[in-house]
Amino acid sequence: MREPERAIRDEIERRGPIGFDRYMEIALYGLGGFYEDPPVGTGEGAAFATSPHVHEVFARLLAGGLRELHEGLGRPDPFCVVEAGAGDGTLATELATWLEDLPLRYEGVERSSGAREALSSRGIPALEEVPTFEGVLIANELLDNLPFRLVRRAADGDRPDEVRVTIVDDALSVTTAPCDDTLRALVPATPGPGEEVAVPTGAFAFVDALAARLRRGYAVLIDYASAGSADGAVHGYRNQRIVEDVLADPGSTDITAGVDLDAVGRHAERTGFRVLGTPAQHAALRSLGFDTWSAEQLEHQGTLLDRREGLDAVRAWSGRSRATLLTDPAALGRLRWLVLAIDGNDRGDDPLPEPDWLRDANERSRAPQDG
């Protein structure tokens, strides 16, 4: 039995059924938990891959967006960029390359010591929590792994109940209990009969902490989004495969659900942020120049074929094909970018401007088709 399951069972035996958020906290971030060592990447043993691992053009285009945010902040020196949930440091390393001409101060934040060691081995300053700073915060696929509470409405029920984790016949199982007043107030949308909703309490807490520590700047939060209903179904990942039973062998599996970014945005506004947009990733990357890059790659591929450099042409085709996953609305292109700004108005600063690329991305997302 892994240490996380031992700790979960011990807590249930002492306290009774526990909230799903507490179950996630132990299974993912406790001693021996899933995130004790970086699980992302494309190599053997990796649980899942994120956009920076699919193709380096993701970092290249995001770097262009960060340049405009640097301008919006008044070209600060140093330009502080903090990546929360920096994982194995792939995005950090690539962004540093594309922004090497700026006075960049890049820091990665990870809760687990294993991840911080991985960041440090790449020369990236590694912190355990977000510092107090001015600049830009990036969080790529972090919010969906922060602990959330679950509410479920029975098929014949008239109100939702909280899903809790317990032990039945010596196996981890779920039970339900009436929602307390605090949880009821946080439910972003009442589930329909037979539906289950993930309430992003961990994401709310993250935004609260960020509002207290980001004195002035932008936040770019990239994640799989739900609409506060059953499309945010709980599932897991292990070895690049979906895992349905997230209660089996806790600590061995990632646990996630789509995040209601609209609810997170409303919560952020209550803490002092302005929501600048929530475009789809396919729209954001196209606004940052993906189509131009893709056309250049196609031309380069043709040039290689003309030179009879077939192997290099195949490699160019393969890379370009892989990169299209980033903008495919059925793949990584369906991620959404929640972009926030906090202005430092207590000091009389002018409101931070909305970057041109984001304005264009918001328009693309509202269009019937992103051409």
Side-chain angles (χ1 to χ4, degrees), residues 1 14 20 82 143 234 239 243 312 320 331-332 335 360:
M1 181 184 299
R14 288 186 293 105
F20 198 81
V82 175
L143 300 186
V234 179
N239 298 327
V243 176
D312 288 339
R320 180 173 169 272
L332 290 166
L335 287 159
D360 182 71

Side-chain angles (χ1 to χ4, degrees), residues 138-160:
I138 303 168
N140 181 51
E141 295 193 39
L142 169 68
L143 300 186
D144 64 334
N145 290 124
L146 297 180
F148 48 79
R149 295 174 74 175
L150 283 177
V151 297
R152 176 190 296 168
R153 182 176 170 186
D156 58 352
D158 59 356
R159 59 174 175 75

Side-chain angles (χ1 to χ4, degrees), residues 35-37 110-118:
Y35 280 101
E36 189 166 72
D37 294 310
E110 273 290 352
R111 291 182 57 178
S112 79
S113 58
R116 292 196 299 275
E117 289 173 5

Side-chain angles (χ1 to χ4, degrees), residues 5 9 37 41 82 122 150 157 195 201 213 218 233 296 326 341:
E5 183 169 356
R9 287 176 174 272
D37 294 310
V82 175
R122 288 176 175 252
L150 283 177
E195 288 186 348
T201 49
R213 295 169 184 170
Y218 297 93
E296 291 171 349
L326 299 171

